[in-house]
Amino acid sequence: MKEEPLFKIKNISKYFGDKRVLGDVTFDIMPGEIIGIIGASGSGKTTLLNILVGFLNPDRGSLQFRFEHLLNFKDTEVYREINKKSFEIKKMIGFAAQIPSFYPNLTVEENMNYFGTLFNLSNDALKSNVEALLNLMELKESRSLLASKLSGGMQRRLDIACALIHDPKILILDEPTSDLDPILRKHIWELIKIIRSKGTTIILSSHHLTEIEHLCDRIAILQDGRFVEINTFNYIKDKYIKHKKVLIETRKKDYKLLLKDVSLKLIKNKEIIDNELVITSPNPTRLIEVLIRCSMKIKDEILNLSIDNPNLDEVFVSISSKDKLVETNENYDKHVEEEINQLSNISKSAAKNRKKQNKKNKLGKNAKKQSIFMYK
């Protein structure tokens, strides 16, 4: 049975005066996923999150949430408009904004108790949730400290704990690691993984793109108030990055000779870094095939050969740049098919070469060390 979305967002728009902040944003949010929303400052990320929480109403469009206790009804009746059921929705959502919402003059435990009472938790449920979150957020030893005395990382953990106190189905985080050092950021990301493992759906925005590319199930890219893409990182990366880097190291390191018969159409840029030749190419799989053939021709041994995949920072810059080359979906699918075929041909070619080499070995010739080939 196909899983139904928790959120259905259709064509929502938001204006502040004459300025359009969001325009016709449409997407679904699936239960249990982590979805990351990225975009330049002013692209509409915070506004979108505030609409999802119910703090703001869209000027146009539909924003629906699925209520589990209505699952026996028809599909059209399972979903309710968020702005019409804001009180019920807020019970199901936890929100940690960029600016912490806890009270600095209350202790860690007092803050958690206070936010728990806002959701009418029973004494037993509140006590149990507080203890569980103190352990999860590693705040147990600081439960009696004033929030104002906590470090930046501990304050961020307290803010997330307050957002989770009522055990929400959805956790929304606006820049959860802003102003934190790399070690503290890593700790927060690990906590988010643990929270998701308990079945919580997580929606977050972040400027630390390389840190969320492998954390999120899907990435949504906002540009000028619209989604230019929402998909898995790998899909977006392969679609928008036209050129990839091929890294090769040979035993002789005579790269000028190696590239003598390589077509310039396969090379956009090249440089040598730490004895390794780095080539930026519009067709890396074809280039690899050619490099293997050329190395055999000049009787040089390949020590390492790989494709260096771009990170989310590079993908975002590529999408945001004015001179970006964006392929249509039809051309992209064709491109993917071509790359698969090329990789298949490389595999067949490598197998044929190994067969020839084994035959030579049987004839008594000295065997060479086998090359390392990686596609990562």
Side-chain angles (χ1 to χ4, degrees):
M1 184 177 177
K2 185 179 178 181
E3 196 168 29
E4 293 294 326
L6 276 179
F7 274 112
K8 285 185 176 181
I9 297 96
K10 295 182 180 178
N11 302 318
I12 63 171
S13 297
K14 184 65 181 177
Y15 291 80
F16 292 129
D18 295 331
K19 180 178 174 57
R20 190 201 69 194
V21 182
L22 295 173
D24 296 323
V25 173
T26 298
F27 68 113
D28 292 339
I29 297 172
M30 305 304 294
E33 77 169 331
I34 300 181
I35 182 167
I37 300 174
I38 66 173
S41 297
S43 60
K45 301 188 300 298
T46 297
T47 299
L48 177 58
L49 295 184
N50 277 280
I51 288 175
L52 294 179
V53 175
F55 290 164
L56 292 174
N57 290 328
D59 294 316
R60 188 170 62 244
S62 171
L63 186 66
Q64 297 182 325
F65 183 85
R66 177 165 62 86
F67 283 85
E68 289 188 351
H69 67 279
L70 296 176
L71 287 180
N72 291 328
F73 287 67
K74 296 178 181 178
D75 288 345
T76 55
E77 298 176 340
V78 170
Y79 291 88
R80 293 289 185 267
E81 290 288 340
I82 285 183
N83 59 356
K84 294 179 181 178
K85 294 283 184 180
S86 60
F87 180 74
E88 290 87 344
I89 290 296
K90 287 171 185 175
K91 288 182 178 179
M92 300 181 185
I93 295 176
F95 181 49
Q98 291 187 47
I99 300 174
S101 56
F102 57 76
Y103 291 91
N105 293 326
L106 295 181
T107 67
V108 168
E109 188 170 6
E110 287 170 344
N111 267 290
M112 295 172 71
N113 282 324
Y114 170 74
F115 282 98
T117 59
L118 296 180
F119 293 96
N120 297 320
L121 296 180
S122 68
N123 289 334
D124 287 343
L126 179 56
K127 183 177 180 181
S128 176
N129 288 1
V130 167
E131 292 302 322
L133 287 169
L134 285 172
N135 285 322
L136 176 63
M137 298 295 170
E138 298 181 9
L139 291 170
K140 197 167 186 178
E141 301 300 320
S142 306
R143 65 192 306 159
S144 299
L145 278 180
L146 290 178
S148 60
K149 302 296 183 182
L150 299 176
S151 66
M154 294 175 75
Q155 287 186 349
R156 197 57 55 98
R157 280 182 272 155
L158 172 60
D159 204 38
I160 296 175
C162 291
L164 289 170
I165 192 64
H166 57 300
D167 193 21
K169 297 183 182 300
I170 298 174
L171 177 63
I172 297 179
L173 303 171
D174 192 5
E175 299 289 348
T177 60
S178 62
D179 303 324
L180 298 183
D181 64 53
I183 295 175
L184 292 177
R185 290 205 304 267
K186 183 178 180 182
H187 186 66
I188 294 295
W189 296 133
E190 291 301 320
L191 285 174
I192 290 172
K193 289 180 184 178
I194 295 172
I195 294 166
R196 197 274 281 274
S197 71
K198 300 180 183 298
T200 306
T201 301
I202 299 173
I203 307 163
L204 61 88
S205 69
S206 178
H207 282 109
H208 299 290
L209 306 189
T210 55
E211 295 178 358
I212 70 168
E213 63 186 52
H214 301 300
L215 174 72
C216 298
D217 299 295
R218 288 189 297 157
I219 304 289
I221 302 176
L222 262 178
Q223 193 174 70
D224 298 325
R226 298 176 184 273
F227 278 152
V228 294
E229 195 65 68
I230 176 168
N231 215 306
T232 64
F233 168 64
N234 284 335
Y235 179 93
I236 296 172
K237 171 197 67 181
D238 291 339
K239 180 176 180 179
Y240 286 92
I241 296 295
K242 195 171 181 65
H243 302 93
K244 294 181 181 178
K245 292 179 180 179
V246 174
L247 289 69
I248 182 170
E249 182 180 3
T250 65
R251 186 166 296 283
K252 294 180 181 178
K253 296 177 177 53
D254 190 348
Y255 299 129
K256 185 176 181 180
L257 180 61
L258 177 68
L259 297 179
K260 181 180 178 181
D261 295 328
V262 178
S263 171
L264 293 178
K265 293 180 180 179
L266 293 175
I267 301 174
K268 184 175 184 292
N269 188 35
K270 62 181 184 295
E271 58 182 329
I272 296 175
I273 302 175
D274 296 332
N275 293 322
E276 196 170 45
L277 178 62
V278 180
I279 306 170
T280 303
S281 174
N283 194 339
T285 50
R286 172 62 180 163
L287 176 61
I288 285 177
E289 186 177 14
V290 173
L291 289 174
I292 292 174
R293 188 170 63 246
C294 289
S295 66
M296 294 180 66
K297 182 179 178 181
I298 64 174
K299 298 181 180 180
D300 197 358
E301 180 184 355
I302 296 176
L303 302 178
N304 180 55
L305 181 59
S306 63
I307 294 177
D308 184 27
N309 278 328
N311 57 37
L312 188 53
D313 276 320
E314 294 172 286
V315 174
F316 180 68
V317 169
S318 175
I319 293 175
S320 301
S321 63
K322 291 181 180 179
D323 59 343
K324 63 182 179 293
L325 297 173
V326 182
E327 301 167 296
T328 62
N329 288 332
E330 182 180 349
N331 288 337
Y332 172 63
D333 291 338
K334 183 180 178 181
H335 171 69
V336 171
E337 185 178 351
E338 288 174 352
E339 284 216 343
I340 291 173
N341 290 335
Q342 288 169 359
L343 284 171
S344 177
N345 291 335
I346 292 174
S347 179
K348 290 177 182 177
S349 176
K352 189 182 291 184
N353 290 333
R354 284 196 299 270
K355 190 174 181 180
K356 288 181 180 179
Q357 186 66 47
N358 290 336
K359 190 174 181 180
K360 289 181 180 179
N361 292 342
K362 288 180 180 179
L363 294 175
K365 292 186 177 182
N366 292 328
K368 293 184 178 181
K369 182 182 177 183
Q370 195 175 25
S371 301
I372 300 173
F373 176 74
M374 296 183 295
Y375 185 83
K376 59 183 178 181

